[in-house]
Amino acid sequence: MAKNLLIVESPAKAKTIEKYLGKDFIVKSSIGHIVDLPEKGLGVDIKNNFKPDYQVSSDKKKVVAELKKLAKAAEMVWLATDEDREGEAIAWHLFNELGLTEKKTKRVLYHEITKSAIEAAIKNPREINKDLVDAQQARRILDRLVGYELSPILWRKIKPSLSAGRVQSVAVRLIVEREREITTFGVTSFFKVVGYFASGNISFKADLDKKFDTEAEANDFLKKLKGADFSVKSLEKKPSKRTPSAPFTTSTLQQEASRKLSFSVLQTMRVAQTLYERGDITYMRTDSVNLSQLAIDAAKEEIVKMYGDKYAQTRQFKTKSSSAQEAHEAIRPSNFSAKETTSEDYNEKRLYELIWKRTVASQMADAEIEKTVITIGNNKADNNFIATGEVIKFDGFLKVYIESEDEGEEEEKEGLLPAVKANDKINLSHIDAVQRFTQPPSRYTEASLVKKLEGLGIGRPSTFAPTISTVQKRGYVVKEMREGTERKYNVLTLQNDEITSVVKTEITGAEKSKLFPTDVGMVVNDFLVANFGEILDYNFTAHVEEEFDIIADGKLAWQKMLKTFYKPFHLTVEQTSEKKERASGEKLLGQDPNGKNVFVKIGRYGPMVQIGDTESEEKPRFAKLRGEQRLDSITLAEALDLFRLPRKVGLYEDKDLDVSVGRFGPYIRHDGKFYSLPKEDDPYTVLEARAIEVIEDKRKKEREKVIQILKRDPEPEIQVLNGRYGPYITTDKEIFKIPKDKEPAKLTLAECIAIIAADKASGKKKRKFFPKKKA
């Protein structure tokens, strides 16, 4: 048995580290957190100073038992979990659950998984930092208190199965408010005038220094320019520099990977985690842009080797966030001489290359640029045309890396300009006055939402990805592509002293991978803002994050912070629960042909239309909104159209084919049986032939599912079935695995009974088998 047990969080990391340590070490993984608050119940004793009831997770009992055994046999236990607050908390829980003592326990930290970093960590151990643990505890308990007390109110006041969270609800609020900004935005049009000129053999364009509000104004201006002569009024050349961006933090990596690689924030973190655990990059959860002197020297050496001395310019970036931990490093390659990862995975290669380029570029010389501005005047009007261009005199860091920009922030690319001087004549090709429109704010992408949350001081590197993932899983937000609509615009053209006018069309409002609030998300947000304004206040949420930082610095007791928060919060919960009415986002659309009121609102199973008043003697009728329909935009005609279901689409085997929508989605009813309609089929337009195809597909799958049925009166029959993960035996609503050496189709009744008996004797927990119910 090895003298030393070193415990990390993930099996992949354990494998990598084990290669660097000798035979005196055994490296094992806790596979993340080993304890947590219980799944059911609050799990926090509020009266006993917010004492948490930590329990070993059911799926970690075996892991804890194995680690206990190994820890008992080892002379020294090294807790090598991640360097952030979560990692410190895991180390603390391991210390407690494994029954360790301070005498035989050491805490070690490393920013990267390399031989030198691991050896240095072993030489410089420290004790568990209880302040960091307390900051993590405070976050976990506060989030449990908020979720546990708010969620039941949402179940009672809006609909079942909803949830609320301190950070997730603020993220939803941002998305809802942005959607309403867009909805209420008043689009106005204007005319932008662009001249197309030539000098020598170079053609270029220049923008007029004025925009016109109306077509008439633009037309009058073009009339003035009939027969005009154009010349260079002034020429200005400005030298400027462009400085590289800082190395990646968690949020900037998520943003840039979204722009350049089209990664979701969750995908970015998953791929980065793999690169870190293999030893390719440093720790990927950080808000610091700091680089160690060792890293700066290594980057410089590589730059000089590849591009020469003049391209190297070392610099240390300063983190803007006051809460950032400068002792940590930015995300960087572990080895600057490795331009590529050894991984064969395409996405890992792309993300590693992005990190390598960004880090190397941060230590390269500024780019030297000469910006040229040509002002073109004329002899007919006072307004001038401005042409801009730039020449890169020295590319510097641009040789390696150019940062991308978010939608709405892109600058128009500047073109090539001719060599001219003041008073030179310029030839006019034509002038366009193009109708343009003011743009509403852009909807958030996952990356731009991370940027906004970070800018408001809400959340930390470890919380951005889970927050954005959670709001989508809860159904409050959807990430999707939406088609735009056609829009007409006018173009006036002056060419050869003639003015022509044409109407063109363009697509506007098309969105790709944008975050949209759902109807449920909007109703929940409005309810929470109205009743729990402080919880959803951006400044309050940022203040809570600051308090976690103060706890981590050892300057505030976590129980005191929770006590200050909980008393007024709990009082508001009680008042809201007792006094506030249900919230449904209900809106009256009008009346149906029979004079009954038609409402749209959130019901028990989501957004729906209701015909008839709830209080009336006659029972109201209900219909579920279609996927693309929204509470705030559905019309009366569209709402009434939803009541066309159920609809008869034909006959099959002399029985009616009816299509409708139920609690679990659209379905076909035939001969008393129900068949789910696939997502790509619309229940309002599906025809007889397609309905028959769906039925036959289901029948075929059912036939192929049954391998054999074995009767054994009076006991329940035994079925041998094909399942999603292979063949299995089921009887009396229990599932039993078939041994690999047995052929399912040839199993006898006696063999099946023996397999069931052996499986039950093993004591393994059985999965229940529930036959599918009718829709």
Side-chain angles (χ1 to χ4, degrees), residues 588-611:
L588 178 65
L589 295 179
Q591 294 184 324
D592 75 348
N594 298 318
K596 292 179 180 174
N597 287 332
V598 180
F599 303 95
V600 64
K601 65 180 185 179
I602 298 292
R604 184 177 177 83
Y605 303 117
M608 66 177 191
V609 176
Q610 174 182 320
I611 295 181

PDB file of all heavy atoms in Angstrom, residues 588-611:
ATOM      1  N   LEU A 588     -57.712  39.609 -21.947  1.00  0.00           N
ATOM      2  CA  LEU A 588     -58.949  39.430 -22.718  1.00  0.00           C
ATOM      3  C   LEU A 588     -58.677  39.812 -24.168  1.00  0.00           C
ATOM      4  O   LEU A 588     -58.276  40.935 -24.461  1.00  0.00           O
ATOM      5  CB  LEU A 588     -60.068  40.307 -22.139  1.00  0.00           C
ATOM      6  CG  LEU A 588     -61.407  40.272 -22.876  1.00  0.00           C
ATOM      7  CD1 LEU A 588     -62.051  38.886 -22.783  1.00  0.00           C
ATOM      8  CD2 LEU A 588     -62.356  41.329 -22.309  1.00  0.00           C
ATOM      9  N   LEU A 589     -58.905  38.849 -25.074  1.00  0.00           N
ATOM     10  CA  LEU A 589     -58.652  39.101 -26.504  1.00  0.00           C
ATOM     11  C   LEU A 589     -59.885  39.623 -27.228  1.00  0.00           C
ATOM     12  O   LEU A 589     -59.778  40.293 -28.248  1.00  0.00           O
ATOM     13  CB  LEU A 589     -58.185  37.810 -27.193  1.00  0.00           C
ATOM     14  CG  LEU A 589     -56.838  37.221 -26.741  1.00  0.00           C
ATOM     15  CD1 LEU A 589     -56.554  35.933 -27.502  1.00  0.00           C
ATOM     16  CD2 LEU A 589     -55.714  38.217 -26.956  1.00  0.00           C
ATOM     17  N   GLY A 590     -61.064  39.274 -26.710  1.00  0.00           N
ATOM     18  CA  GLY A 590     -62.303  39.670 -27.387  1.00  0.00           C
ATOM     19  C   GLY A 590     -63.379  38.631 -27.113  1.00  0.00           C
ATOM     20  O   GLY A 590     -63.361  37.962 -26.071  1.00  0.00           O
ATOM     21  N   GLN A 591     -64.295  38.487 -28.057  1.00  0.00           N
ATOM     22  CA  GLN A 591     -65.391  37.528 -27.884  1.00  0.00           C
ATOM     23  C   GLN A 591     -65.489  36.611 -29.093  1.00  0.00           C
ATOM     24  O   GLN A 591     -65.169  37.004 -30.224  1.00  0.00           O
ATOM     25  CB  GLN A 591     -66.713  38.266 -27.678  1.00  0.00           C
ATOM     26  CG  GLN A 591     -66.745  39.057 -26.364  1.00  0.00           C
ATOM     27  CD  GLN A 591     -68.093  39.712 -26.128  1.00  0.00           C
ATOM     28  OE1 GLN A 591     -68.738  40.166 -27.074  1.00  0.00           O
ATOM     29  NE2 GLN A 591     -68.526  39.769 -24.875  1.00  0.00           N
ATOM     30  N   ASP A 592     -65.961  35.368 -28.830  1.00  0.00           N
ATOM     31  CA  ASP A 592     -66.161  34.429 -29.937  1.00  0.00           C
ATOM     32  C   ASP A 592     -67.510  34.730 -30.618  1.00  0.00           C
ATOM     33  O   ASP A 592     -68.269  35.598 -30.151  1.00  0.00           O
ATOM     34  CB  ASP A 592     -66.076  32.986 -29.427  1.00  0.00           C
ATOM     35  CG  ASP A 592     -67.319  32.544 -28.657  1.00  0.00           C
ATOM     36  OD1 ASP A 592     -68.157  33.412 -28.304  1.00  0.00           O
ATOM     37  OD2 ASP A 592     -67.444  31.342 -28.400  1.00  0.00           O
ATOM     38  N   PRO A 593     -67.852  34.058 -31.726  1.00  0.00           N
ATOM     39  CA  PRO A 593     -69.117  34.336 -32.437  1.00  0.00           C
ATOM     40  C   PRO A 593     -70.364  34.208 -31.567  1.00  0.00           C
ATOM     41  O   PRO A 593     -71.407  34.784 -31.874  1.00  0.00           O
ATOM     42  CB  PRO A 593     -69.112  33.297 -33.558  1.00  0.00           C
ATOM     43  CG  PRO A 593     -67.667  33.020 -33.805  1.00  0.00           C
ATOM     44  CD  PRO A 593     -67.019  33.089 -32.467  1.00  0.00           C
ATOM     45  N   ASN A 594     -70.268  33.443 -30.442  1.00  0.00           N
ATOM     46  CA  ASN A 594     -71.423  33.268 -29.560  1.00  0.00           C
ATOM     47  C   ASN A 594     -71.458  34.297 -28.426  1.00  0.00           C
ATOM     48  O   ASN A 594     -72.269  34.190 -27.509  1.00  0.00           O
ATOM     49  CB  ASN A 594     -71.416  31.861 -28.958  1.00  0.00           C
ATOM     50  CG  ASN A 594     -71.534  30.795 -30.031  1.00  0.00           C
ATOM     51  OD1 ASN A 594     -72.324  30.927 -30.975  1.00  0.00           O
ATOM     52  ND2 ASN A 594     -70.739  29.740 -29.904  1.00  0.00           N
ATOM     53  N   GLY A 595     -70.542  35.256 -28.485  1.00  0.00           N
ATOM     54  CA  GLY A 595     -70.528  36.321 -27.483  1.00  0.00           C
ATOM     55  C   GLY A 595     -69.812  35.981 -26.201  1.00  0.00           C
ATOM     56  O   GLY A 595     -69.911  36.711 -25.210  1.00  0.00           O
ATOM     57  N   LYS A 596     -69.085  34.851 -26.177  1.00  0.00           N
ATOM     58  CA  LYS A 596     -68.344  34.474 -24.968  1.00  0.00           C
ATOM     59  C   LYS A 596     -66.956  35.103 -24.979  1.00  0.00           C
ATOM     60  O   LYS A 596     -66.317  35.191 -26.023  1.00  0.00           O
ATOM     61  CB  LYS A 596     -68.216  32.943 -24.876  1.00  0.00           C
ATOM     62  CG  LYS A 596     -69.541  32.254 -24.636  1.00  0.00           C
ATOM     63  CD  LYS A 596     -69.353  30.747 -24.576  1.00  0.00           C
ATOM     64  CE  LYS A 596     -70.705  30.050 -24.328  1.00  0.00           C
ATOM     65  NZ  LYS A 596     -70.575  28.597 -24.396  1.00  0.00           N
ATOM     66  N   ASN A 597     -66.502  35.496 -23.807  1.00  0.00           N
ATOM     67  CA  ASN A 597     -65.174  36.107 -23.684  1.00  0.00           C
ATOM     68  C   ASN A 597     -64.072  35.103 -24.015  1.00  0.00           C
ATOM     69  O   ASN A 597     -64.163  33.926 -23.642  1.00  0.00           O
ATOM     70  CB  ASN A 597     -64.950  36.642 -22.270  1.00  0.00           C
ATOM     71  CG  ASN A 597     -65.750  37.901 -22.012  1.00  0.00           C
ATOM     72  OD1 ASN A 597     -66.052  38.658 -22.940  1.00  0.00           O
ATOM     73  ND2 ASN A 597     -66.107  38.138 -20.756  1.00  0.00           N
ATOM     74  N   VAL A 598     -63.047  35.593 -24.691  1.00  0.00           N
ATOM     75  CA  VAL A 598     -61.889  34.756 -25.042  1.00  0.00           C
ATOM     76  C   VAL A 598     -60.664  35.329 -24.329  1.00  0.00           C
ATOM     77  O   VAL A 598     -60.284  36.484 -24.547  1.00  0.00           O
ATOM     78  CB  VAL A 598     -61.655  34.728 -26.571  1.00  0.00           C
ATOM     79  CG1 VAL A 598     -60.442  33.862 -26.903  1.00  0.00           C
ATOM     80  CG2 VAL A 598     -62.896  34.232 -27.296  1.00  0.00           C
ATOM     81  N   PHE A 599     -60.077  34.499 -23.455  1.00  0.00           N
ATOM     82  CA  PHE A 599     -58.901  34.921 -22.684  1.00  0.00           C
ATOM     83  C   PHE A 599     -57.674  34.124 -23.123  1.00  0.00           C
ATOM     84  O   PHE A 599     -57.786  32.991 -23.568  1.00  0.00           O
ATOM     85  CB  PHE A 599     -59.117  34.655 -21.176  1.00  0.00           C
ATOM     86  CG  PHE A 599     -60.321  35.317 -20.592  1.00  0.00           C
ATOM     87  CD1 PHE A 599     -61.531  34.629 -20.486  1.00  0.00           C
ATOM     88  CD2 PHE A 599     -60.259  36.631 -20.135  1.00  0.00           C
ATOM     89  CE1 PHE A 599     -62.658  35.235 -19.935  1.00  0.00           C
ATOM     90  CE2 PHE A 599     -61.375  37.243 -19.577  1.00  0.00           C
ATOM     91  CZ  PHE A 599     -62.579  36.550 -19.481  1.00  0.00           C
ATOM     92  N   VAL A 600     -56.506  34.719 -22.896  1.00  0.00           N
ATOM     93  CA  VAL A 600     -55.253  33.990 -23.044  1.00  0.00           C
ATOM     94  C   VAL A 600     -54.511  34.136 -21.722  1.00  0.00           C
ATOM     95  O   VAL A 600     -54.512  35.209 -21.114  1.00  0.00           O
ATOM     96  CB  VAL A 600     -54.423  34.524 -24.241  1.00  0.00           C
ATOM     97  CG1 VAL A 600     -53.988  35.954 -24.029  1.00  0.00           C
ATOM     98  CG2 VAL A 600     -53.217  33.642 -24.515  1.00  0.00           C
ATOM     99  N   LYS A 601     -53.916  33.017 -21.220  1.00  0.00           N
ATOM    100  CA  LYS A 601     -53.277  33.067 -19.899  1.00  0.00           C
ATOM    101  C   LYS A 601     -52.402  31.832 -19.685  1.00  0.00           C
ATOM    102  O   LYS A 601     -52.365  30.920 -20.515  1.00  0.00           O
ATOM    103  CB  LYS A 601     -54.344  33.139 -18.806  1.00  0.00           C
ATOM    104  CG  LYS A 601     -55.244  31.895 -18.713  1.00  0.00           C
ATOM    105  CD  LYS A 601     -56.274  32.079 -17.602  1.00  0.00           C
ATOM    106  CE  LYS A 601     -57.100  30.809 -17.407  1.00  0.00           C
ATOM    107  NZ  LYS A 601     -58.087  30.963 -16.321  1.00  0.00           N
ATOM    108  N   ILE A 602     -51.701  31.818 -18.541  1.00  0.00           N
ATOM    109  CA  ILE A 602     -50.926  30.645 -18.131  1.00  0.00           C
ATOM    110  C   ILE A 602     -51.829  29.766 -17.288  1.00  0.00           C
ATOM    111  O   ILE A 602     -52.382  30.205 -16.277  1.00  0.00           O
ATOM    112  CB  ILE A 602     -49.686  31.046 -17.297  1.00  0.00           C
ATOM    113  CG1 ILE A 602     -48.738  31.914 -18.113  1.00  0.00           C
ATOM    114  CG2 ILE A 602     -48.950  29.801 -16.792  1.00  0.00           C
ATOM    115  CD1 ILE A 602     -48.046  31.224 -19.248  1.00  0.00           C
ATOM    116  N   GLY A 603     -51.994  28.521 -17.706  1.00  0.00           N
ATOM    117  CA  GLY A 603     -52.790  27.567 -16.950  1.00  0.00           C
ATOM    118  C   GLY A 603     -51.896  26.543 -16.281  1.00  0.00           C
ATOM    119  O   GLY A 603     -50.675  26.668 -16.274  1.00  0.00           O
ATOM    120  N   ARG A 604     -52.501  25.507 -15.760  1.00  0.00           N
ATOM    121  CA  ARG A 604     -51.755  24.477 -15.022  1.00  0.00           C
ATOM    122  C   ARG A 604     -50.672  23.825 -15.882  1.00  0.00           C
ATOM    123  O   ARG A 604     -49.617  23.449 -15.402  1.00  0.00           O
ATOM    124  CB  ARG A 604     -52.754  23.418 -14.517  1.00  0.00           C
ATOM    125  CG  ARG A 604     -52.118  22.346 -13.656  1.00  0.00           C
ATOM    126  CD  ARG A 604     -53.175  21.381 -13.141  1.00  0.00           C
ATOM    127  NE  ARG A 604     -52.581  20.302 -12.363  1.00  0.00           N
ATOM    128  CZ  ARG A 604     -52.242  20.360 -11.089  1.00  0.00           C
ATOM    129  NH1 ARG A 604     -52.433  21.481 -10.436  1.00  0.00           N
ATOM    130  NH2 ARG A 604     -51.703  19.341 -10.464  1.00  0.00           N
ATOM    131  N   TYR A 605     -50.956  23.683 -17.182  1.00  0.00           N
ATOM    132  CA  TYR A 605     -50.008  23.000 -18.065  1.00  0.00           C
ATOM    133  C   TYR A 605     -49.354  23.941 -19.068  1.00  0.00           C
ATOM    134  O   TYR A 605     -48.833  23.512 -20.090  1.00  0.00           O
ATOM    135  CB  TYR A 605     -50.704  21.835 -18.779  1.00  0.00           C
ATOM    136  CG  TYR A 605     -51.310  20.843 -17.828  1.00  0.00           C
ATOM    137  CD1 TYR A 605     -52.684  20.625 -17.792  1.00  0.00           C
ATOM    138  CD2 TYR A 605     -50.503  20.168 -16.920  1.00  0.00           C
ATOM    139  CE1 TYR A 605     -53.231  19.735 -16.885  1.00  0.00           C
ATOM    140  CE2 TYR A 605     -51.050  19.276 -16.013  1.00  0.00           C
ATOM    141  CZ  TYR A 605     -52.411  19.060 -15.992  1.00  0.00           C
ATOM    142  OH  TYR A 605     -52.950  18.183 -15.085  1.00  0.00           O
ATOM    143  N   GLY A 606     -49.397  25.247 -18.791  1.00  0.00           N
ATOM    144  CA  GLY A 606     -48.707  26.187 -19.669  1.00  0.00           C
ATOM    145  C   GLY A 606     -49.644  27.194 -20.315  1.00  0.00           C
ATOM    146  O   GLY A 606     -50.825  27.315 -19.941  1.00  0.00           O
ATOM    147  N   PRO A 607     -49.159  27.934 -21.321  1.00  0.00           N
ATOM    148  CA  PRO A 607     -49.964  28.969 -21.984  1.00  0.00           C
ATOM    149  C   PRO A 607     -51.176  28.370 -22.690  1.00  0.00           C
ATOM    150  O   PRO A 607     -51.054  27.351 -23.375  1.00  0.00           O
ATOM    151  CB  PRO A 607     -48.978  29.580 -23.003  1.00  0.00           C
ATOM    152  CG  PRO A 607     -47.627  29.176 -22.539  1.00  0.00           C
ATOM    153  CD  PRO A 607     -47.787  27.863 -21.857  1.00  0.00           C
ATOM    154  N   MET A 608     -52.346  29.017 -22.540  1.00  0.00           N
ATOM    155  CA  MET A 608     -53.566  28.460 -23.148  1.00  0.00           C
ATOM    156  C   MET A 608     -54.583  29.565 -23.428  1.00  0.00           C
ATOM    157  O   MET A 608     -54.468  30.687 -22.940  1.00  0.00           O
ATOM    158  CB  MET A 608     -54.184  27.417 -22.219  1.00  0.00           C
ATOM    159  CG  MET A 608     -54.700  28.005 -20.919  1.00  0.00           C
ATOM    160  SD  MET A 608     -55.482  26.781 -19.882  1.00  0.00           S
ATOM    161  CE  MET A 608     -56.250  27.822 -18.634  1.00  0.00           C
ATOM    162  N   VAL A 609     -55.575  29.193 -24.228  1.00  0.00           N
ATOM    163  CA  VAL A 609     -56.713  30.077 -24.518  1.00  0.00           C
ATOM    164  C   VAL A 609     -57.930  29.511 -23.801  1.00  0.00           C
ATOM    165  O   VAL A 609     -58.126  28.292 -23.759  1.00  0.00           O
ATOM    166  CB  VAL A 609     -56.979  30.153 -26.036  1.00  0.00           C
ATOM    167  CG1 VAL A 609     -58.215  30.998 -26.315  1.00  0.00           C
ATOM    168  CG2 VAL A 609     -55.771  30.737 -26.761  1.00  0.00           C
ATOM    169  N   GLN A 610     -58.749  30.400 -23.239  1.00  0.00           N
ATOM    170  CA  GLN A 610     -59.970  29.979 -22.554  1.00  0.00           C
ATOM    171  C   GLN A 610     -61.156  30.703 -23.171  1.00  0.00           C
ATOM    172  O   GLN A 610     -61.149  31.928 -23.297  1.00  0.00           O
ATOM    173  CB  GLN A 610     -59.868  30.302 -21.066  1.00  0.00           C
ATOM    174  CG  GLN A 610     -61.151  30.043 -20.276  1.00  0.00           C
ATOM    175  CD  GLN A 610     -61.003  30.419 -18.814  1.00  0.00           C
ATOM    176  OE1 GLN A 610     -59.966  30.176 -18.198  1.00  0.00           O
ATOM    177  NE2 GLN A 610     -62.046  31.025 -18.257  1.00  0.00           N
ATOM    178  N   ILE A 611     -62.187  29.940 -23.563  1.00  0.00           N
ATOM    179  CA  ILE A 611     -63.435  30.535 -24.044  1.00  0.00           C
ATOM    180  C   ILE A 611     -64.482  30.366 -22.947  1.00  0.00           C
ATOM    181  O   ILE A 611     -64.775  29.246 -22.524  1.00  0.00           O
ATOM    182  CB  ILE A 611     -63.923  29.867 -25.347  1.00  0.00           C
ATOM    183  CG1 ILE A 611     -62.936  30.140 -26.490  1.00  0.00           C
ATOM    184  CG2 ILE A 611     -65.316  30.385 -25.727  1.00  0.00           C
ATOM    185  CD1 ILE A 611     -63.347  29.536 -27.817  1.00  0.00           C
TER     186      ILE A 611
END
